[in-house]
């Protein structure tokens, strides 16, 4: 079992790096998408990601129940979760206990038999947000990333398409 966390800023190359890592394992890779196409821009973004990956992936759309889908898809190819920060946003909007869900995920990762590659955004490198909701999200994302990084076997930070190994 291998758990890899890949983090970085927007458009840093995280997803491409995660796809490359997922393909390096035997078996058919599983793409676990946490995004929902709620507007035309997101619909276009999802279409670009699908076109880039090609059709050899099993795709699962999971905006909330991430731990369940990891259990359901275990013992196959590598699972690529893209991305944890969208999942966190979904949890916040659904008024679910994000902290409890993150703990559930961190506890489930060591029990996986097939590799798991998780993509997340590093949102704490900029200025302090000017509104309460954005500050709550930034703080929750930072805590989530720390929790998942502690559970991961490897952590990479991607900048300008270049990965840096952190763990």
């Amino acid at each position: 079992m291998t758990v890899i966390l890949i983090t970085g800023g927007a458009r840093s190359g995280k997803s491409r790096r995660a796809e490359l890592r997922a393909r390096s394992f035997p078996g058919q890779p599983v793409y676990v998408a946490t995004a929902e196409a709620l507007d035309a821009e997101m619909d276009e973004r999802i279409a670009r990601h699908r076109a880039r990956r090609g059709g050899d992936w099993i795709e699962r759309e999971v905006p909330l129940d991430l731990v369940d889908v990891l259990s359901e898809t275990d013992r196959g190819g590598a699972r690529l979760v893209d991305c944890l920060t969208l999942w966190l946003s979904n949890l916040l909007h659904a008024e679910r206990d994000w902290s409890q869900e993150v703990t559930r995920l961190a506890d489930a990762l060591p029990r996986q038999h097939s590799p798991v590659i998780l993509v997340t955004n590093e949102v704490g490198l900029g200025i302090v947000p000017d509104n309460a909701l954005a500050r709550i999200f930034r703080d929750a994302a930072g805590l989530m990333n720390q929790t998942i990084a502690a559970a991961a076997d490897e952590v990479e930070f991607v900048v300008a398409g270049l990965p840096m190994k952190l763990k």
Side-chain angles (χ1 to χ4, degrees):
M1 182 278 309
T2 301
V3 176
I4 302 167
L5 178 66
I6 299 177
T7 189
R11 296 284 192 243
S12 63
K14 301 178 304 290
S15 293
R16 285 181 192 265
R17 177 65 180 168
E19 291 164 13
L20 179 70
R21 295 295 309 265
R23 288 180 189 273
S24 73
F25 293 99
Q28 187 176 17
V30 178
Y31 189 89
V32 180
T34 62
E36 295 180 283
L38 300 176
D39 58 34
E41 187 272 334
M42 187 56 90
D43 193 46
E44 183 181 318
R45 182 182 296 247
I46 290 168
R48 282 194 313 266
H49 272 243
R50 281 183 178 140
R52 184 183 69 225
R53 283 192 311 271
D56 60 335
W57 292 74
I58 297 168
E59 188 172 306
R60 298 290 300 271
E61 295 180 7
V62 185
L64 294 169
D65 299 317
L66 191 50
V67 173
D68 294 342
V69 80
L70 288 177
S71 295
E72 293 167 11
T73 59
D74 201 8
R75 298 184 186 272
R79 282 78 47 78
L80 190 169
V81 177
D82 198 356
C83 80
L84 289 180
T85 40
L86 279 173
W87 175 65
L88 175 64
S89 179
N90 296 340
L91 292 170
L92 288 167
H93 285 286
E95 298 182 358
R96 298 212 359 209
D97 184 341
W98 67 266
S99 180
Q100 182 180 25
E101 293 292 332
V102 167
T103 299
R104 279 187 66 222
L105 175 59
D107 290 345
L109 290 173
R111 295 192 304 267
Q112 300 297 304
H113 295 91
S114 299
V116 180
I117 298 96
L118 304 127
V119 175
T120 192
N121 289 283
E122 178 50 59
V123 298
L125 295 175
I127 61 172
V128 174
D130 70 346
N131 67 78
L133 179 59
R135 287 188 298 275
I136 289 167
F137 177 76
R138 183 226 28 217
D139 293 349
L143 293 170
M144 174 187 67
N145 288 347
Q146 290 180 54
T147 300
I148 301 305
D153 300 301
E154 299 177 36
V155 179
E156 292 183 354
F157 184 68
V158 180
V159 178
L162 302 171
M164 295 184 290
K165 186 172 181 141
L166 303 177
K167 177 180 179 185

